[in-house]
Amino acid sequence: MLLGVLAVAAAVGLVAVAALLFRALGRGTDDRDPGGASAGHAGSMLSSLFLLVFAIAIVVPWTSADSARQNTYAETHALVEAYWAAAPLPAPDAAQVREGLREYARYVVEDEWPQMAAGHLGSEGSARLEALRAHVTELPVTTDEARDARDAVLERMADMSAARRQRAADAGTEPPPGVMLLTVLTGVLVIVFPFLAGARPRGLTLVPVLTMAVLLGVGVYLAWNISHPFSGGLAVQPDAFVSALHEFQRIPEGH
């Protein structure tokens, strides 16, 4: 923050020094024209700065949401594979493990997903998953087939835990600090700049100015609306987990 303030102060100071220096040297001419070189240069730079910050405010959340969506499918892929791998376990244990996987998926869809819009996962999810992993680890296996099945289930559950940690990180993802504030600030400056430069639009000349203001306002709102991966216009939905629950129903018992 301090560096930002110092950078702004240095930029303003540079403008003041340049204005005084060139005036003392008698270089250049007074420029009071709203359409002159000073206003034109400042206006184009303000527009460029707004477009740069606005692009960051759009691209970063968009890519974050896409990455979060892909991660949910990676997590459910491991979930379904664990469900398949549990089949060779002894009959009572296989059914218990599969029921635990179904309960975990239902918990994520029904209870945990609404909490992710607030930037965090449910506190119970990790406990459920770790308890199920501990249960699988302690299963008594007497055959090579059952031992291989237990190891395969544990491997897939380790993948689920890794994907869950990534989902927790995705839920807390936000645009870089200050981006939205800078987007709003530069948008406001772009709107009021013609007036600051001395122009006084009247009549039909107000139409493009008002149109620009409306579109900028809509654009800033959209940037804010998609700023979180699990809420707003680009919110990642629990489609992957819902699909996994449907796939569980199609997997025959004992397979």
Side-chain angles (χ1 to χ4, degrees):
M1 182 64 181
L2 178 60
L3 290 178
V5 173
L6 291 176
V8 171
V12 173
L14 179 61
V15 173
V17 169
L20 292 174
L21 179 61
F22 277 79
R23 180 177 294 276
L25 295 176
R27 304 294 298 274
T29 59
D30 289 342
D31 185 8
R32 301 178 182 274
D33 183 6
S38 300
H41 176 69
S44 63
M45 291 305 297
L46 272 177
S47 299
S48 299
L49 178 59
F50 169 77
L51 291 175
L52 174 62
V53 178
F54 184 67
I56 295 174
I58 292 293
V59 172
V60 171
W62 197 293
T63 55
S64 296
D66 185 62
S67 176
R69 185 175 293 103
Q70 293 298 322
N71 181 65
T72 62
Y73 282 95
E75 185 175 356
T76 53
H77 174 73
L79 179 64
V80 172
E81 289 300 312
Y83 195 91
W84 276 100
L89 292 172
D93 298 323
Q96 291 177 2
V97 171
R98 284 185 160 184
E99 178 60 24
L101 293 172
R102 287 193 297 268
E103 287 297 324
Y104 173 74
R106 279 194 288 266
Y107 166 77
V108 172
V109 173
E110 297 173 4
D111 299 323
E112 187 168 62
W113 213 267
Q115 301 179 51
M116 292 164 60
H120 59 82
L121 271 61
S123 58
E124 189 180 341
S126 295
R128 284 173 176 255
L129 190 57
E130 292 305 318
L132 186 57
R133 288 181 69 179
H135 174 71
V136 175
T137 302
E138 296 171 358
L139 288 179
V141 290
T142 57
T143 65
D144 290 340
E145 182 182 21
R147 186 175 297 104
D148 291 342
R150 183 187 64 183
D151 293 343
V153 172
L154 289 173
E155 184 177 353
R156 298 286 78 80
M157 294 188 71
D159 294 338
M160 289 170 56
S161 295
R164 178 180 174 81
R165 288 192 292 271
Q166 181 59 52
R167 181 156 55 87
D170 292 335
T173 299
E174 294 180 351
V179 168
M180 283 308 303
L181 177 61
L182 194 56
T183 301
V184 173
L185 179 60
T186 53
V188 170
L189 287 176
V190 167
I191 293 171
V192 303
F193 180 78
F195 302 93
L196 295 176
R200 297 293 181 266
R202 293 290 186 272
L204 291 178
T205 57
L206 280 172
V207 174
V209 176
L210 292 174
T211 302
M212 177 188 67
V214 171
L215 293 178
L216 284 178
V218 172
V220 171
Y221 167 76
L222 291 177
W224 171 81
N225 184 251
I226 66 172
S227 60
H228 192 274
F230 294 97
S231 63
L234 290 179
V236 178
Q237 302 298 326
D239 298 339
F241 287 89
V242 173
S243 296
L245 286 170
H246 291 162
E247 188 166 353
F248 290 160
Q249 297 176 1
R250 296 194 296 268
I251 298 176
E253 294 296 330
H255 293 80

